[in-house]
Amino acid sequence: MRADLFLLGYCELGVKADDVPAFLNLCHREGFVYSPLQPSEEESDMRIRCRLLTARAIQRAAAQRNITVYRLKTGGLPLFFHRYRLRAGLWLGGVLALLLIWLASGVIWDVRVEGEGELDTDRIREELASCGLAPGRRLSSLDTDAIESRLLTGSDGVAWVSVNIKGTVAYVQVRELLKPEAPGEQEKGEGGVNLVALCDGRVESVRLVRGEVMVGPGDLIREGQLLISGVRDMGDGSYDVMAAAGEVWARTEHTLTVKIPMSREEKVYVGQKKVKKTLFFFGKPIKITKSTGIIEGNCDTIKKMENVCLFGTVPLPLAIETVEYLPYEIKSVTMTEKEASEQAFAALSDELAGAVEGKTLLSQSIRCEITQEHCLIHCTYRCIENIARPQPFAHGTGAKTR
């Protein structure tokens, strides 16, 4: 439907099929504007749509020429206002709604935070509220420069912030403050680092990057044994201190033990859950449901906040908080041997996958033991891994004399 027809009012007219040629000649001669002819509900008749004033003029002119034109339907904004002209409550509500929209146009409806890094946007919103930026604040009272300054000085994790007001929405961009990494072991040792054995094993191969190799393939070594030295004899009575680097791959053997209790405590929800709803208008809480009263015993609380949007996209200064209270009891459940062993093997699989990450698994042997209290699984696995780990030994670098 055309916009002018809706705003000024429209009328649908029916024309008898026999009178259609005369009707068209009349409209052409008088200059009446109307929509194209379309079949009416009556199979032989036709219908047109035009403005209300045009429809009255057409009917008067057609009556003078004995052309049958009848009214089918009317509509549009003027007829809507005429239909509800005596309903004072409706008009009062409309006026109040317009007044509310006018008042709300001068305050912040929503604060949107976009952060770079691992910043908690909820925490940033709380800090912004303490700095004077929150839904419901007057736009005329906002000083974005002052808000940015207060947030930068009051928050430890923010390195940069930008506040932009567009309409009734505040767009805040923040950047995380990157703290310098703590110096590594090699930096603390200032170059003096040995590589020692992380665990027992038999050496398979050595890849030297820097330092003096102290072991070779086939050697049986113990935990803590020196593998690659960071001290090199220069041959002239002095030593060169460095940060040893390299890899020592060895065959190793490890044991994992998984213990699963045969009895466990399980949470069982009982009774009827209670729900409390609160409407937040510009950040101000308005209770929707009555108090749930005191809930005795253990209870899980699930809180959910939903923002209300117009047409699903335009945020409104409304939010509904739903809090669910779920009472529960702790009951003791005893597992069967099959259930306990299945759970134990699943836990072993997870632990073993993490333990052999970055290693070459050669073999494994598993032994299961079930008692009245526990299900135990002992796993011995053999693998090839890099067992060299750095161990700082001195401060200072450079040549040292014996």
Side-chain angles (χ1 to χ4, degrees), residues 39-68:
S40 179
E41 295 180 358
E42 300 291 339
E43 295 182 359
S44 59
D45 292 352
M46 304 297 288
R47 64 184 174 91
I48 64 167
R49 178 180 292 173
C50 60
R51 295 180 183 177
L52 279 174
L53 295 178
T54 304
R56 296 190 183 101
I58 289 175
Q59 286 185 298
R60 283 196 300 267
Q64 294 174 0
R65 293 165 177 79
N66 294 323
I67 300 174
T68 304

Side-chain angles (χ1 to χ4, degrees), residues 365-384:
S365 58
I366 298 175
R367 179 172 58 87
C368 182
E369 178 184 352
I370 297 179
T371 65
Q372 291 183 350
E373 297 181 352
H374 298 93
C375 173
L376 296 95
I377 294 184
H378 307 278
C379 175
T380 301
Y381 65 94
R382 288 158 287 279
C383 61
I384 296 179

Side-chain angles (χ1 to χ4, degrees), residues 206-266:
V206 178
R207 187 179 73 87
L208 177 66
V209 175
R210 184 173 55 250
E212 191 83 18
V213 178
M214 309 302 293
V215 296
D219 290 351
L220 183 64
I221 55 178
R222 298 298 180 189
E223 179 182 353
Q225 183 176 336
L226 181 62
L227 302 178
I228 300 177
S229 175
V231 179
R232 183 172 60 184
D233 190 350
M234 302 299 294
D236 58 356
S238 64
Y239 296 99
D240 184 23
V241 178
M242 68 192 73
E247 297 177 350
V248 178
W249 292 86
R251 289 177 178 262
T252 60
E253 183 176 290
H254 305 276
T255 300
L256 280 177
T257 300
V258 175
K259 180 188 292 186
I260 301 296
M262 298 297 293
S263 305
R264 71 175 187 274
E265 291 184 342
E266 192 174 80

Side-chain angles (χ1 to χ4, degrees), residues 186 188-194 231 241 391-397 400:
Q186 293 189 4
K188 291 179 181 179
E190 296 183 355
V193 177
N194 289 329
V231 179
V241 178
Q391 184 182 70
F393 67 94
H395 295 281
T397 60
K400 294 190 177 183

